[in-house]
Amino acid sequence: MTRYLPIMLDCEKQQVVVIGGGAVAERKVSGLLEAGAVVKMISPSLTDTLASLVKKGLMTWHDRPYAPGDLRGAFLVYAATNDRTVNEEVAQESRRLGIHVNVASHAEAGDFITPGVVRRGRLTVAVSTSGAGPFAAAKIKSVLEEALDAAYEPYLDFVHTMRTRIKEQESSAEVRGRLLRKLGTLDVLNEMRNGSFIAWSPEDMDAWIADHRAE
């Protein structure tokens, strides 16, 4: 079993080349665009959804099969055609160029995989079953989506705002640590879930910091 290293990769404004224009490529492109990647697709045909993305100017499309040289300048490569041989050729060129490649038809031919993802604002949870199959990953993802409800998005925004304010106002590492630990004990998440949370103003935040600074 391959043991992958989980990482969160910043693809903002990075060129990613996707070879293939079918349903698999469509799933890959969705996540790439969400991450802010600049997508270049090479395929003699596209799904309706991908064609719509091209029409909207959200990615570029080269209407032809893959050819050697297509991967130059790429940050990442996705080999997502329905032809195993073509995917392997893409993987080989990627390796020669030192570019990480994902191979949809057989993951072992590439050097990274794309996990299932659950997003709740600042929260990102990735699910990989290391080859156990997409159905198992989808089931686990569904469980996580139910457990990690919509309240996590405003909750993490609140925590981020408070953490930033604490770091700006406190020069003492000891005091910052104490305040951040205290912040973690607040029952804000459940209050947001049941609708009883009242948004804190900047003054409320500053008052809380002052009240707990010396505890």
Side-chain angles (χ1 to χ4, degrees):
M1 180 181 70
T2 301
R3 297 187 181 276
Y4 293 97
L5 174 67
I7 61 171
M8 298 295 178
L9 189 63
D10 183 4
C11 293
E12 184 77 26
K13 297 181 181 179
Q14 297 284 358
Q15 179 172 273
V16 178
V17 176
V18 179
I19 309 298
V24 174
E26 184 179 306
R27 291 195 296 272
K28 305 296 185 183
V29 166
S30 175
L32 289 168
L33 292 178
E34 189 174 13
V38 178
V39 177
K40 170 185 173 183
M41 176 163 284
I42 298 171
S43 174
S45 61
L46 296 179
T47 66
D48 291 343
T49 297
L50 289 172
S52 177
L53 293 174
V54 172
K55 188 175 181 179
K56 293 175 182 176
L58 297 177
M59 68 178 194
T60 59
W61 173 41
H62 297 259
D63 183 6
R64 58 174 174 76
Y66 156 77
D70 283 339
L71 312 183
R72 292 194 184 97
F75 178 65
L76 293 175
V77 170
Y78 286 79
T81 77
N82 58 5
D83 188 321
R84 186 184 180 101
T85 300
V86 171
N87 289 344
E88 288 180 348
E89 290 174 359
V90 172
Q92 290 169 8
E93 182 182 1
S94 295
R95 289 201 178 88
R96 287 196 301 271
L97 295 173
I99 304 169
H100 291 301
V101 60
N102 170 270
V103 179
S105 56
H106 48 307
E108 66 276 9
D111 49 23
F112 77 94
I113 59 174
T114 49
V117 175
V118 177
R119 294 188 190 275
R120 296 289 183 267
R122 295 178 183 277
L123 176 64
T124 301
V125 179
V127 180
S128 169
T129 59
S130 294
F135 295 109
K139 185 173 182 179
I140 295 168
K141 179 183 173 183
S142 178
V143 171
L144 289 172
E145 285 175 331
E146 184 175 348
L148 301 172
D149 56 51
Y152 275 89
E153 183 168 349
Y155 169 67
L156 289 176
D157 285 338
F158 169 81
V159 171
H160 178 267
T161 300
M162 283 295 295
R163 183 173 184 270
T164 300
R165 208 166 189 87
I166 290 168
K167 291 174 69 176
E168 289 174 347
Q169 295 187 16
E170 287 300 331
S171 58
S172 167
E174 180 182 351
V175 175
R176 285 200 307 271
R178 183 163 60 244
L179 287 167
L180 291 171
R181 287 191 294 275
K182 187 67 176 179
L183 176 64
T185 67
L186 292 176
D187 197 25
V188 171
L189 179 59
N190 284 327
E191 289 179 6
M192 289 180 170
R193 281 173 171 158
N194 62 35
S196 64
F197 179 73
I198 299 174
W200 291 21
S201 68
E203 292 75 20
D204 292 330
M205 295 179 185
D206 292 343
W208 183 91
I209 292 171
D211 289 345
H212 295 85
R213 182 175 281 121
E215 290 185 8

